[in-house]
């Protein structure tokens, strides 16, 4: 079996020996260095799979070494060892490019997990089934490069951007291209959890810990063990839950409701919001210490209007996906339809483009979408992003689905479930009816 190689940098002989023994037992060849100069010499002479470095050295700091490795050996993961509770230094090291950090006294189990994750290959340039990463504009090329680079790190990332621009898809891409790709990806909308159940949902609970707790339950942190926990709309967390989340992230441990003992966790935290968190901090709605903890690295998701040259490629990808989903022939757009799309500002971003094309897909005659099929009225062009979110809100979607289901069910009953006749009665094409039946869960084939 080929051995991996590790560079261990520390001026304390006891720590150096502990790390050497642990990694040697994990089948690593270890090179030891007691100073920054010795580490530089070792890097010049050997290739390594991982580097562990203390923060304090006689001739420099661990962050100096992180920056050196980032410049000259960007694919080498480096973890920094810090004094217990020195969160600011840990954050600074990850901002400089460290893979992760360890606190003293060193937890051997935590060390082993870190080393295994750091030396595991992810899935670079993973072929993900989403429309977001389609495109060759400058902003998209930059985004893809950032995703590929950040996927190798374990640093918490805050993804910001307008609603509908694909923040969750970016998070999934980071997970898929990183060393945790074989682990779970758990996504949660922080604004969708009832306040009274929030702690239980995040950390789990023991049977009998509160009324209705009829069995033990694992929380989101446990469900994401070995993988990634994505906190969508993190700005919607109430302040009391923000305190508990901060502690769980800092200590890398949780305490299920109704228990006294803490459980260690091994997850990566990714967060997202469409709100300005700095404004939320000023307004007293978001804790500044939590902001610094989840915003170690910031990634901005571009709005669709910032990448309109990608529109045709995006449109083609979405229509191909719709055709595959509903077993339809390929749908194309007329030049007039493309012109309509290019003039529209899409305040709802990629999500709104998907909804627009999905609607046109069901309404068009034959296999061609025309400008009128898109139903982009002039008044819609002036609709603000906030109004667009309200129009496309879940409550309205649900109500429209209920009305649609009522009409379709009535037509099917009146025609004794003859779909061809029901489509005629509804004034839509057979393909449109088949699409709607699948969408509403009424397709029994």
């Amino acid at each position: 079996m080929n051995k991996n190689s590790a560079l261990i940098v520390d001026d304390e002989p006891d720590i150096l020996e502990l790390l050497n023994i642990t990694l040697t037992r994990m089948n690593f060849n270890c090179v030891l260095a007691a100073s920054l100069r010795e580490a530089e010499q070792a890097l010049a002479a050997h290739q390594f799979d991982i580097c562990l470095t203390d923060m304090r050295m006689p001739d420099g700091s661990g962050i100096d070494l992180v920056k050196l490795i980032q410049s000259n050996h960007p694919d080498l993961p480096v973890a920094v060892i810090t004094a217990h509770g020195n969160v600011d230094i840990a954050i600074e090291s990850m901002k400089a490019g460290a893979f992760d950090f360890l606190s003293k006294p060193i937890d051997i189990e935590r060390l082993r997990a870190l080393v295994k994750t750091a030396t595991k290959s992810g899935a670079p340039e993973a072929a993900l089934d989403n429309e977001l990463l389609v495109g060759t504009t400058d902003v998209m090329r930059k985004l893809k490069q950032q995703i590929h680079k950040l996927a190798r790190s374990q640093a918490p990332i805050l993804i910001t951007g307008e609603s509908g621009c694909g923040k969750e898809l970016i998070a999934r891409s980071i997970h898929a291209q990183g060393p945790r790709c074989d682990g779970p990806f758990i996504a949660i909308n922080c604004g969708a959890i009832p306040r009274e159940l929030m702690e239980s949902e995040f950390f789990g609970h023991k049977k009998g810990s509160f009324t209705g707790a009829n069995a033990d339950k694992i929380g989101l942190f446990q469900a994401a063990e070995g993988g990634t926990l994505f906190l969508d709309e993190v700005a919607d967390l109430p302040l009391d839950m923000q305190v508990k989340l901060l502690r769980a992230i800092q200590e890398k441990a949780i305490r299920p409701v109704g228990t006294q003992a803490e459980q260690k966790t091994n997850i990566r935290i990714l967060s997202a919001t469409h709100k300005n968190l700095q404004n939320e901090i000023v307004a007293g709605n978001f804790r500044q210490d939590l902001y610094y903890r989840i915003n170690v690295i910031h990634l901005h998701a571009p709005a669709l209007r910032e990448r309109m040259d990608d529109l045709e490629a995006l449109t083609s990808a979405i229509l191909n996906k719709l055709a595959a989903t509903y077993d339809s022939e390929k749908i194309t757009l007329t030049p007039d339809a493309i012109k309509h799309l290019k003039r529209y500002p899409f305040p709802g971003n990629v999500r709104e483009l998907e909804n627009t094309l999905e609607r046109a897909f069901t309404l068009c005659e034959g296999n061609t979408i025309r400008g009128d099929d898109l139903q982009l009225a002039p008044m819609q062009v002036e609709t603000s992003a906030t109004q667009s979110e309200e129009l496309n809100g879940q409550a309205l979607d649900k109500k429209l689905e209920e009305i649609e289901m009522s009409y379709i069910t009535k037509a099917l009953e009146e025609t004794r479930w003859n779909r061809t006749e029901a489509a005629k009665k509804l004034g839509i094409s057979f393909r449109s009816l088949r699409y709607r039946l699948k969408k509403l869960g009424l397709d029994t084939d």
Side-chain angles (χ1 to χ4, degrees), residues 132-180:
L132 175 77
L133 298 181
V134 172
T136 57
T137 53
D138 289 343
V139 290
M140 284 307 295
R141 281 199 294 267
K142 181 180 178 182
L143 177 63
K144 293 174 188 179
Q145 291 169 356
Q146 288 176 311
I147 288 173
H148 180 63
K149 180 179 180 180
L150 297 178
R152 301 194 302 264
S153 169
Q154 293 302 290
I157 297 175
L158 177 64
I159 306 169
T160 60
E162 298 175 6
S163 292
C165 61
K167 295 185 288 294
E168 180 174 338
L169 294 175
I170 291 175
R172 288 184 181 276
S173 182
I174 291 171
H175 170 78
Q177 295 187 44
R180 295 179 179 271

Side-chain angles (χ1 to χ4, degrees), residues 371-440:
D372 291 343
D373 296 325
L374 297 169
Q375 297 185 357
L376 296 175
M379 61 180 295
Q380 287 180 286
V381 176
E382 299 172 4
T383 301
S384 69
T386 302
Q387 290 172 323
S388 176
E389 288 169 22
E390 291 173 355
L391 290 172
N392 292 317
Q394 291 182 353
L396 179 59
D397 285 346
K398 185 176 180 181
K399 186 65 178 177
L400 291 174
E401 280 190 4
E402 290 174 357
I403 295 171
E404 188 176 21
M405 184 177 290
S406 174
Y407 273 91
I408 291 175
T409 303
K410 183 179 179 182
L412 287 168
E413 288 174 349
E414 291 178 354
T415 59
R416 297 185 179 182
W417 289 83
N418 183 316
R419 298 187 190 186
T420 302
E421 291 302 316
K424 290 179 181 178
K425 196 174 187 67
L426 291 165
I428 60 177
S429 66
F430 179 78
R431 184 183 69 207
S432 177
L433 176 61
R434 184 175 60 179
Y435 159 77
R436 291 168 189 269
L437 289 173
K438 286 187 177 183
K439 179 182 177 183
L440 297 171

Side-chain angles (χ1 to χ4, degrees), residues 28-41:
F28 278 81
N29 284 321
C30 298
V31 174
L32 309 183
S35 67
L36 185 61
R37 178 176 172 76
E38 289 182 17
E40 291 175 353
Q41 291 172 342

Side-chain angles (χ1 to χ4, degrees), residues 13-27:
D14 291 345
I15 298 293
L16 205 59
E17 184 62 20
L18 172 65
L19 296 173
N20 184 27
I21 292 172
T22 302
L23 268 68
T24 298
R25 289 175 177 172
M26 294 178 70
N27 203 41

Side-chain angles (χ1 to χ4, degrees), residues 36 67 77 154 163 190 202 274 279 318 382 411:
L36 185 61
K67 291 177 179 178
Q154 293 302 290
S163 292
C190 296
F202 272 81
H274 72 278
N279 290 344
I318 294 169
E382 299 172 4

Side-chain angles (χ1 to χ4, degrees), residues 260-277:
Q260 297 299 317
E262 285 193 333
Q263 297 179 8
K264 296 176 182 176
T265 61
N266 175 26
I267 64 174
R268 185 179 190 183
I269 298 287
L270 303 178
S271 307
T273 182
H274 72 278
K275 296 181 179 179
N276 186 317
L277 283 188

